Amino acid sequence: MSAPQDDRDVDCSPKVSPSLENSEPAVPSSSRRRFLGKLGSAATVTMAASVLGKAPAVLAQSDGSGGSSASGLNARVVKALALRVDAATADSLVPVPPHTTNGDENRYPDHSASYSKGLLQDDIGVVNPAAWASFKKALKSGKNSDFEAMIIGGTRTQNDPQGAYAFDMEGLDSVQFGNAPSPGDPTGLPVVPPFDQIASAAYGAQLIETYWASLLRDVAFTDYATNATAIAAAAELTTLPDYRGPRDSLGNVTPDLLFRGNFPGETIGPYMSQFMITPTSFGQQPIDQLMNTYLPNIDYMTDTTTFLQVQNGVSTGLTNQVDPTRRYLHDGRGLSAWTHSDVLFQGHLIAFLVLTTLKAPPNPGNPYIGSKTQNGFGTFGGPDYAASQGEAAARALARVCYQEWLVHLTHRPEAGGGVLHQILTGNQSKIDAKLNKNVLNSQAVAQSFSKYGTYLLSQPFPEGSPTHPSYPTGHGTVAGACITFLKFFFDETYVIPNPQVPSSDGLSLGPYTGSDAVQITVGGELNKLARNVSFGHGVLAGIHWRSDTDWSMTLGEAMTISVLQDKAQCYNEKFSITFTKLDGNKVTISNE
């Protein structure tokens, strides 16, 4: 997967202390434990002493047992403090990477290429200048009073902008992820590169893909191979050099490859991950994985009146119409409906339950493999596995909020459709942003206009996208974080037995008999699960871009690896666990 173009002369990230900007080189994951071992004597004792206000000599008397020293300090508390200080110190030595934007915020005076949904709008794609100023003032100060003073266009509120300022007690800080590879893996992909410039061919290719997805919203994934619209979508995307989705060995985008990703395992087997369709149970509560979805052929925001209402944050009074029949997830509308109201780590918690139903083996590095006297439970067992999913989601949201609100301010595909509508209806003079000719001449856009009578991008929800910037995506960052925990705990090479595929109406499951069935592994299906969830809330719903998913998954993964490096020191069991990153590189977490 190639990174979007880099415009390094633009950096809108908040200023950080010079001590962080000029810190020592990152501690590689492979040498982290050696670093902590060296730090753990005098330096740790001195720092712990300063925290507790005690003399270093008193702390040094601790022998690490559960007893108390002569001073009354509990030795275990001292050790716990030392672990926290060690981890925090090691994390603080990881340098801050560049936070590189695409430059569009400064390039277009009317900010028509930047996020402004919910603020007062002057026209389609054009935010009110005073509203924009109030918005930027709040983001710069971080003060609640300034956020409360933002000028909004209706009653819809901004979604957690103050989350961008949250700190955490685990892993690297939000500012330590950016336009550079994950710490400890300098050969890997950048974690959060700049988003495509709105006038670029790459941006145009992304917008074209969302228009095709909107036209295919009610077509079953299993029917793509014979569906005329899917065939046309694959044909047009094949002609776009800047399209970043997967291609076959001849360089073609085939219908079966539509809306898939490039990470390991994502193009193997059915479109839907086995973790989203396999029946399981939550304790004694059966989970059949049949879902409530929305009725087909009902789309929103295709007329200029409701579009502008939504951009202002005004309710249109419309609501989604629920399909009375529960179905397995089998098409774009179903996945969109699922992500419309899911708990952010829901799909990944269900994946954990499915893994237990399938009796998937633990990661080969699990310290209890072969033990005849012990088993894992709160550590390296079921409760540890399950709780990691909620933990990962909470940690991931702070990291993605920082990127969304304080760095990139990327607008949503619906806003890109608004810019497109203005240009194609002869109103380029009303808007500063420009678009590439590939999208101006797109077959997908022409077909959408023929269906709806405007060039606006149809939406499956009356309110369109959430009111926060698009890049990266929360669903994708949570997904990347959660599946990384599951790879840490489970054997990613385990082949899923008896894979299934939903029928074209979603009413039943049948055996998957493709020649690649024996290649469907836990690791590949976890990557596919993350894509399903993030694209369900993204490209398939028309509210996120392909890049949002690609780079949010790498952000979530990098965050979890940093958390696991900290957590490794807290386990009493000695272990060395290896798993495969999204870029195909291996990473090892160890406390030995």
Side-chain angles (χ1 to χ4, degrees), residues 367-418:
Y368 288 107
I369 292 177
S371 175
K372 297 181 180 179
T373 60
Q374 306 174 75
N375 64 270
F377 193 62
T379 56
F380 291 103
D384 196 7
Y385 302 168
S388 71
Q389 301 306 286
E391 177 185 8
R395 306 285 78 80
L397 286 177
R399 274 62 173 192
V400 73
C401 278
Y402 179 90
Q403 296 290 333
E404 288 178 340
W405 290 105
L406 301 185
V407 181
H408 297 285
L409 283 181
T410 303
H411 71 185
R412 298 280 181 160
E414 66 191 49

Side-chain angles (χ1 to χ4, degrees), residues 47-94:
M47 285 182 282
S50 68
V51 173
L52 293 178
K54 302 292 183 180
V58 173
L59 289 178
Q61 294 173 7
S62 168
D63 62 2
S65 68
S68 298
S69 67
S71 67
L73 282 175
N74 182 276
R76 182 181 170 90
V77 171
V78 173
K79 188 172 183 178
L81 174 60
L83 282 171
R84 293 191 186 194
V85 171
D86 285 351
T89 303
D91 287 342
S92 73
L93 296 179
V94 175

Side-chain angles (χ1 to χ4, degrees), residues 412-425:
R412 298 280 181 160
E414 66 191 49
V419 173
L420 178 66
H421 178 81
Q422 291 281 53
I423 294 172
L424 290 180
T425 54

Side-chain angles (χ1 to χ4, degrees), residues 318-341:
L318 302 172
T319 58
N320 280 114
Q321 304 301 302
V322 177
D323 185 340
T325 303
R326 293 196 303 136
R327 303 174 192 271
Y328 293 103
L329 298 178
H330 66 287
D331 62 11
R333 192 174 300 275
L335 262 178
S336 300
W338 188 90
T339 58
H340 196 203
S341 57

Side-chain angles (χ1 to χ4, degrees), residues 28-29 58 79 113 165 169 175 303 315 347 425 432 504 506 520 567:
S29 58
V58 173
K79 188 172 183 178
Y165 292 90
M169 301 296 285
V175 77
D303 64 279
S315 174
T425 54
D432 291 337
S504 61
I520 300 176
K567 286 172 65 71

Side-chain angles (χ1 to χ4, degrees), residues 395-458:
R395 306 285 78 80
L397 286 177
R399 274 62 173 192
V400 73
C401 278
Y402 179 90
Q403 296 290 333
E404 288 178 340
W405 290 105
L406 301 185
V407 181
H408 297 285
L409 283 181
T410 303
H411 71 185
R412 298 280 181 160
E414 66 191 49
V419 173
L420 178 66
H421 178 81
Q422 291 281 53
I423 294 172
L424 290 180
T425 54
N427 293 317
Q428 176 69 81
S429 61
K430 291 185 176 182
I431 200 162
D432 291 337
K434 307 293 192 297
L435 288 170
N436 190 273
K437 63 181 180 181
N438 62 1
V439 69
L440 298 179
N441 299 315
S442 167
Q443 296 176 39
V445 174
Q447 284 198 30
S448 184
F449 179 82
S450 178
K451 183 175 182 178
Y452 298 110
T454 69
Y455 294 104
L456 300 170
L457 177 64
S458 74

Side-chain angles (χ1 to χ4, degrees), residues 508-568:
S508 63
L509 297 174
Y512 176 72
T513 57
S515 60
D516 57 357
V518 295
Q519 302 174 47
I520 300 176
T521 64
V522 166
E525 290 302 285
L526 286 174
N527 292 345
K528 190 188 295 179
L529 167 67
R531 178 77 53 178
N532 284 168
V533 170
S534 191
F535 263 29
H537 199 63
V539 170
L540 298 172
I543 64 175
H544 274 290
W545 309 92
R546 172 175 285 273
S547 289
D548 296 358
T549 290
D550 287 343
W551 300 115
S552 65
M553 286 173 64
T554 60
L555 172 61
E557 177 185 70
M559 184 219 72
T560 288
I561 290 172
S562 77
V563 169
L564 284 169
Q565 288 173 334
D566 287 353
K567 286 172 65 71

